[in-house]
């Protein structure tokens, strides 16, 4: 017994017999805690508990039990397995430490996964080379030389293809754009829908344009989606030199401010360039809406300039601005106005026809109308502004009217928006006052219309789950 205690391997055997179970118990508890928290460090801890420690214990036992040269073969085999597991453990630990909790926007977050995979493969190969050289005494110098020469030959043969791949990897690492961004390369403009090692795919609206990464890496391009915020669409328009610039600038800002594509909180700007030319900047939500915003702005500007008597593109004529058309509209609305034929001339002297484009706001909510408008052609819908947007509660057609609160001098609770090309008869406040004094029944109908619209608006708000009293003023 005394001789056993004196053996060199005996203290190591006692340490293995006691230390390995204790270590496994500790690792099991740590692994359970990390797993419950969803911590990424659970992966290397699991690898260490399930494989590294057990194989390490077997390796130690074989080392102490090896008495003959034949036994060293098994020691080397188990040692090779243990070394490979240790390499995997180190790589897993580095991956958790460097990349798992990488901050957004840092180099660790931007680095493409292919770089990580290639670095991992290179470290595994280097580790295996060292392991085989240490455990088996293998000469790996010749193998490294052969691989180096082969790599040079393959690289020269595939330098164009490899160059494109490297350019793609560098773009992925730098991340000058991301999926969904809009790029302008000078030759093509589109939205990024795919990025791979070889090329970037741009959706131009007329198909998918494939742009090689080497082309993007070797030239300049514009990321229209950066910096984050409103994207400005610019448009230039021309009026007549007889039009006062201040009136035109006011009209441009007014028309631009009604566009639905505008970025909330931003303001439309307009400037006079001289020679009847004006520049307008529209802060829209993104490049994808820029073309639509410019097209809609030009269409609405045509209608608005005719209503104001301004000469867009040097022409202020309006096909509907004829006495015959005006008198015909008054005659069509005579039942609504309770007007007789002898009233037509008086109404024609003060009233005017106005035309609105699809989607234009005819009456703003929260303002006191300066006139009433009677629908001659087309239709409108009435909508109440809330914190969640506009809620439509009524649609009007030919013969209906809006702006009734002009008579009572009250704020209009709803906006009136044209459903299509809409023609209205505009009646100023002075004419309304004169008309209702001579026709009490019209005043009663206007009052009843105001009450009816208020009830319908409140009902629409209640149906949408909005508390009474939240109607925009």
């Amino acid at each position: 017994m005394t001789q056993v205690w004196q053996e060199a391997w005996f203290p190591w055997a006692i340490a293995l017999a006691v230390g390995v179970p204790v270590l496994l118990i500790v690792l099991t508890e740590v692994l359970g805690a990390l797993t419950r928290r969803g911590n990424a460090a659970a992966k290397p801890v699991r690898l260490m508990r399930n494989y590294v420690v057990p194989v390490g214990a077997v390796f130690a036992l074989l080392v102490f039990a090896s008495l003959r040269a034949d036994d060293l073969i098994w020691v080397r085999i188990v040692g090779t397995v243990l070394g490979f597991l240790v390499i995997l453990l180190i790589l897993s630990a580095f991956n958790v430490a460097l990349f798992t909790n990488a901050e957004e926007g840092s180099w660790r977050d931007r680095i493409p996964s292919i770089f990580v995979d290639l670095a991992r493969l290179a470290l595994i190969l280097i580790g295996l080379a060292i392991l085989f050289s240490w455990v088996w005494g293998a000469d790996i110098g010749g193998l490294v030389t052969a691989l180096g020469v082969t790599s040079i030959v393959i690289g020269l043969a595939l330098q164009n293809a490899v160059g494109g791949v490297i350019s793609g990897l560098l773009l992925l690492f730098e991340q000058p754009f991301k999926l969904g961004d809009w790029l302008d390369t000078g030759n093509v403009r589109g939205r990024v829908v795919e990025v791979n090692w070889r090329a970037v795919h741009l959706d131009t609206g007329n198909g998918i344009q494939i742009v090689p990464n080497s082309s993007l890496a070797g030239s300049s391009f514009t990321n229209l989606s950066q910096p984050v915020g409103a994207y400005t669409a610019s448009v230039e328009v021309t009026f007549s030199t007889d039009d006062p610039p201040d009136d035109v600038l006011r009209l441009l800002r007014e028309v631009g401010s009604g566009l639905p594509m505008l970025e909330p909180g931003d303001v439309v700007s307009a400037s006079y360039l001289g020679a009847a030319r004006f520049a307008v900047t529209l802060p829209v939500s993104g490049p994808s809406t820029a073309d639509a915003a410019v097209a809609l702005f030009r269409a609405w500007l045509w209608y608005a300039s005719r209503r104001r008597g301004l000469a867009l593109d040097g022409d202020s004529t309006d096909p509907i601005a004829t006495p015959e058309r005006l008198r015909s509209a008054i005659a069509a609305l005579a039942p609504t106005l309770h007007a007789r034929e002898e009233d037509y001339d008086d109404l024609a002297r003060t009233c005017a026809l106005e035309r609105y484009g699809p989607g234009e706001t005819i009456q703003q909510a929260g303002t006191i109308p300066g006139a009433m408008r009677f629908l001659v052609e087309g239709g409108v819908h009435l909508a109440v502004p809330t914190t969640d947007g506009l809620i439509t509660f009524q649609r009007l057609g030919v013969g209906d009217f809006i702006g009734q609160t002009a008579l009572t001098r009250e704020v209009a609770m709803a906006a009136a928006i044209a459903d299509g090309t809409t023609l209205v008869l505009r009646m100023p406040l002075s004419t309304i006052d004169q008309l209702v004094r001579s026709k009490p029944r019209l005043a009663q109908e206007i009052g009843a219309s105001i009450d009816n619209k208020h009830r319908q608006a409140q009902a629409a708000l209640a149906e949408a789950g909005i508390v009474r009293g939240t109607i925009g003023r």
Side-chain angles (χ1 to χ4, degrees), residues 297-308:
F297 173 79
R298 289 187 181 277
W300 284 3
L301 186 61
W302 187 93
Y303 293 101
S305 62
R306 263 61 183 180
R307 295 194 299 269
R308 300 287 180 86

Side-chain angles (χ1 to χ4, degrees), residues 95-110:
N95 183 66
V96 171
L98 292 178
F99 301 109
T100 300
N101 297 318
E103 296 181 1
E104 185 176 357
S106 65
W107 68 269
R108 295 182 298 168
D109 178 62
R110 295 198 312 270

Side-chain angles (χ1 to χ4, degrees), residues 83-285:
F84 182 73
L85 291 174
V86 170
I87 292 173
L88 294 181
L89 177 62
I90 294 173
L91 291 177
S92 179
F94 270 107
N95 183 66
V96 171
L98 292 178
F99 301 109
T100 300
N101 297 318
E103 296 181 1
E104 185 176 357
S106 65
W107 68 269
R108 295 182 298 168
D109 178 62
R110 295 198 312 270
I111 190 169
S113 59
I114 183 62
F115 280 179
V116 179
D117 294 338
L118 290 176
R120 185 182 292 114
L121 178 61
L123 291 176
I124 290 176
L125 293 177
I126 294 174
L128 289 177
I130 296 174
L131 180 63
F132 276 93
S133 176
W134 176 53
V135 175
W136 299 92
D139 182 11
I140 61 173
L143 179 60
V144 172
T145 302
L147 289 176
V149 173
T150 303
S151 300
I152 293 174
V153 173
I154 294 175
L156 291 174
L158 301 176
Q159 56 181 333
N160 292 331
V162 172
V165 171
I166 293 177
S167 298
L169 294 177
L170 292 176
L171 283 176
L172 290 173
F173 177 71
E174 186 181 358
Q175 287 188 350
F177 54 83
K178 60 182 182 296
L179 291 179
D181 283 356
W182 282 75
L183 301 185
D184 187 352
T185 66
N187 297 323
V188 61
R189 176 186 177 193
R191 183 172 59 89
V192 179
V193 294
E194 182 180 346
V195 181
N196 55 42
W197 297 1
R198 191 188 70 84
V200 175
H201 296 198
L202 300 179
D203 183 359
T204 63
N206 295 317
I208 302 298
Q209 181 80 22
I210 310 299
V211 182
N213 290 328
S214 55
S215 299
L216 287 178
S219 61
S220 62
F221 58 88
T222 303
N223 187 340
L224 302 176
S225 300
Q226 297 294 334
V228 178
Y231 173 80
T232 56
S234 300
V235 57
E236 186 174 318
V237 294
T238 304
F239 283 77
S240 169
T241 53
D242 295 333
D243 294 329
D246 289 341
D247 292 347
V248 175
L249 291 172
R250 191 178 302 110
L251 175 68
L252 295 174
R253 297 189 188 101
E254 180 182 315
V255 173
S257 298
L259 295 174
M261 302 87 165
L262 292 187
E263 186 72 9
D266 287 310
V267 180
V268 174
S269 61
S271 59
Y272 182 46
L273 303 178
R277 295 183 301 111
F278 297 82
V280 184
T281 301
L282 306 173
V284 296
S285 55

Side-chain angles (χ1 to χ4, degrees), residues 12 71 154 208 226 263 368 384 386:
W12 291 102
D71 297 333
I154 294 175
I208 302 298
Q226 297 294 334
E263 186 72 9
I368 300 176
V384 180
T386 68

